[in-house]
Amino acid sequence: MLKLGILGLGTVGSGVVKILEKNAENIKNKVGTEVKIIKILVNNLDKERDIEIDKNLLTDNAEDIINNPEIDIVVELIGGEQPAYDYIMRSIENGKSIVTANKLVIAKYGKRIFRKADENDAQVCYEGSVAGGLPIIRPLQNSLAANRIEKIYGILNGTTNYILTDMSKNKKDFDESLKNAQDLGFAEADPSSDIDGHDAAYKITILSSLAFERFVDVRDVYVEGIREIKSTDLELAHEMGYVIKLLAIAKNGNDGVDIRVHPAFIPEDHPIAMINGTYNCVYLHGDAVGQVMSTARGAGQMPTGSAVTADIIQVAKDINYNQREVQRMDSFLESNVTKIDEIENSFYLRLEVEDKPGVMAHIAKIFGDNNVSLASVLQKQKDNPVVPLVFITHHVKEKDLEKSLNEIKELDDVIEIKSVIRVENDI
Ligand code: HSE
């Protein structure tokens, strides 16, 4: 028999308990022995729960799991940085293998955790940390291992994908769609990590380290969220044959990894553009396999519970058969993140300007002087003296664009630069 200690009995923890119980026979057949929970860490021993649980399993003392010599595998489902990181490291020091869904801890401290695990002959699995029910960590480690992967694109946050889909389909503003997502239980009471892009940044950092075998510092990843996206931009995108998505991007380069999260125009006939609502997706190119795209729900009790339980099965099987299928990461190199102002992108720009002769000429001159080449221009007709002016640029260096926008802002006839959104035409 293999014995589990679970740290945390929230939404995902309860899902894991349900799956382990419901599919116990099937899991025993896969692992070759019974897998049994012997302790669960909770905050409140007396709390009413939506699952039936033997109260004797519950403890409010983490040491009953971390320092319990009977426990083989520690399943960390507390989330957040501390005490989760400390519990993981001390459990590994005690020779236990780890299953976690903690994206923050893996993205920020993965290198230290994997090194400690290798020193202690322990395993660390984290399929649940990226895109919940979507299988991507183990496919990168195993099924796609023969490939060189140079680029990964993902929609890695369900809350923001739901909000952008709702804004676009129902012509709503950001605040209204966010409230809708919160009322439906998709968005957290404090949704800032989701809507400001940090949640997706942790996830793409984890994927990029596996795909490129390079560790980067997640604090260097450029992150821009969706708070500034207006329904006007979504409508204009649609008129021009695009959708807007919060895109997580990782590209392997000679001098570093170009890794970033920001809203992006995507051609509306691209497979990623079809991923709507709370769905996540990962789209990558392997030199042998070609394009691969996976999609699934990226959050929720049972989808994430499914990923975490699959990791438990994998680690339990490895321990039971004295084998090691989980990838070692000791050969991974450290790498820089390419600075955003060195990156070249195409941009969508929406300005509000006075509708009078010479305005366009002034703006075009500034672009030209700063090496910014225009791909298309659209002036929306309105019966007032102030009109929206929309540009799509060719690929330009971010710093050249920024310089030209700083100059354009100062022109008397330019009322405001309303939106600046990257365009990803080459995915
Ligand atoms: N809050 C995340 C999302 C799921 O909205 O996709 C957990 O990472």
Side-chain angles (χ1 to χ4, degrees):
M1 182 198 294
L2 283 159
K3 294 179 181 164
L4 303 182
I6 300 188
L7 301 169
L9 189 57
T11 308
V12 178
S14 303
V16 170
V17 171
K18 282 187 204 168
I19 298 168
L20 284 171
E21 195 177 297
K22 181 164 170 281
N23 298 342
E25 201 50 39
N26 190 272
I27 292 170
K28 182 178 171 189
N29 290 339
K30 287 183 174 142
V31 173
T33 186
E34 192 184 349
V35 176
K36 199 167 163 35
I37 301 169
I38 67 161
K39 274 289 163 224
I40 304 176
L41 176 71
V42 294
N43 272 330
N44 179 353
L45 294 170
D46 301 319
K47 184 177 163 186
E48 288 286 319
R49 302 185 185 273
D50 69 347
I51 49 167
E52 276 193 26
I53 193 103
D54 174 358
K55 288 247 158 117
N56 292 319
L57 294 182
L58 304 184
T59 177
D60 55 6
N61 182 0
E63 305 308 318
D64 290 346
I65 293 175
I66 299 168
N67 288 316
N68 185 335
E70 279 192 74
I71 288 175
D72 304 290
I73 303 169
V74 171
V75 184
E76 185 278 303
L77 299 171
I78 307 172
E81 185 162 337
Q82 286 294 7
Y85 173 57
D86 173 56
Y87 291 171
I88 288 173
M89 292 299 261
R90 289 202 292 120
S91 299
I92 295 173
E93 281 162 11
N94 290 337
K96 302 179 193 317
S97 284
I98 303 291
V99 171
T100 179
N102 193 325
K103 62 210 157 213
L104 186 159
V105 160
I106 295 295
K108 207 163 166 184
Y109 301 113
K111 195 175 62 170
R112 289 190 215 167
I113 292 171
F114 304 137
R115 188 180 299 148
K116 173 98 35 203
D118 287 341
E119 283 164 14
N120 287 276
D121 208 19
Q123 308 204 27
V124 180
C125 284
Y126 48 98
E127 185 69 66
S129 67
V130 177
L134 190 156
I136 187 63
I137 303 292
R138 216 91 55 68
L140 282 171
Q141 291 176 331
N142 298 335
S143 332
L144 296 167
N147 289 267
R148 271 185 71 85
I149 294 168
E150 297 298 346
K151 289 182 196 175
I152 306 178
Y153 296 92
I155 294 176
L156 299 177
N157 184 269
T159 304
T160 44
N161 205 37
Y162 174 84
I163 292 172
L164 290 174
T165 306
D166 189 44
M167 286 174 72
S168 171
K169 293 221 157 110
N170 302 315
K171 303 202 182 330
K172 288 185 191 162
D173 282 327
F174 170 78
D175 289 336
E176 204 185 336
S177 287
L178 170 61
K179 178 154 188 329
N180 192 18
Q182 284 172 322
D183 291 346
L184 291 168
F186 298 147
E188 313 267 343
D190 176 5
S192 43
S193 176
D194 293 317
I195 61 186
D196 294 330
H198 300 290
D199 176 82
Y202 295 133
K203 294 168 179 169
I204 192 70
T205 301
I206 295 172
L207 295 186
S208 113
S209 65
L210 270 179
F212 311 146
E213 304 198 343
R214 299 167 97 172
F215 288 119
V216 299
D217 188 334
V218 66
R219 288 168 299 189
D220 295 338
V221 173
Y222 177 81
V223 182
E224 193 183 303
I226 63 163
R227 284 183 204 262
E228 302 304 324
I229 303 290
K230 303 285 184 275
S231 58
T232 311
D233 297 315
L234 289 151
E235 276 174 46
L236 284 164
H238 179 62
E239 274 181 40
M240 292 186 281
Y242 292 94
V243 296
I244 303 178
K245 296 287 180 191
L246 182 67
L247 204 58
I249 301 170
K251 298 182 189 176
N252 201 9
N254 292 335
D255 302 326
V257 183
D258 167 13
I259 170 166
R260 48 201 154 95
V261 173
H262 53 68
F265 273 47
I266 299 172
E268 67 186 356
D269 56 357
H270 191 280
I272 296 184
M274 328 261 168
I275 307 301
N276 287 320
T278 56
Y279 274 82
N280 283 198
C281 80
V282 174
Y283 180 87
L284 55 83
H285 183 269
D287 61 348
V289 70
Q291 309 290 355
V292 175
M293 184 164 115
S294 308
T295 177
R297 284 199 196 281
Q301 181 174 75
M302 298 313 265
T304 310
S306 155
V308 171
T309 311
D311 278 351
I312 294 171
I313 293 170
Q314 179 64 57
V315 176
K317 214 160 58 171
D318 281 4
I319 296 173
N320 193 41
Y321 293 117
N322 199 18
Q323 63 187 22
R324 169 141 189 161
E325 286 201 2
V326 175
Q327 187 182 359
R328 284 188 181 276
M329 280 163 272
D330 39 10
S331 61
F332 287 17
L333 302 172
E334 289 191 38
S335 183
N336 297 326
V337 175
T338 313
K339 295 228 174 340
I340 191 77
D341 57 5
E342 292 302 325
I343 289 169
E344 290 196 4
N345 252 315
S346 173
F347 282 85
Y348 155 93
L349 312 167
R350 178 164 64 88
L351 279 58
E352 250 179 28
V353 301
E354 286 185 30
D355 194 7
K356 56 187 198 196
V359 180
M360 182 72 88
H362 291 147
I363 294 172
K365 177 162 188 327
I366 293 178
F367 280 140
D369 290 347
N370 287 291
N371 299 317
V372 174
S373 168
L374 298 172
S376 60
V377 181
L378 176 71
Q379 180 177 327
K380 300 293 284 182
Q381 283 302 329
K382 276 197 179 171
D383 290 333
N384 63 37
V386 174
V387 291
L389 201 52
V390 175
F391 300 94
I392 302 260
T393 73
H394 284 297
H395 268 214
V396 296
K397 274 221 162 111
E398 300 239 354
K399 61 180 168 198
D400 289 339
L401 184 84
E402 196 185 330
K403 187 161 174 290
S404 49
L405 290 180
N406 283 337
E407 290 174 30
I408 287 169
K409 239 181 335 202
E410 300 305 319
L411 292 175
D412 286 345
D413 306 328
V414 172
I415 313 293
E416 197 179 345
I417 297 172
K418 288 280 190 185
S419 300
V420 179
I421 303 173
R422 293 169 184 83
V423 178
E424 291 288 331
N425 273 318
D426 314 322
I427 60 179

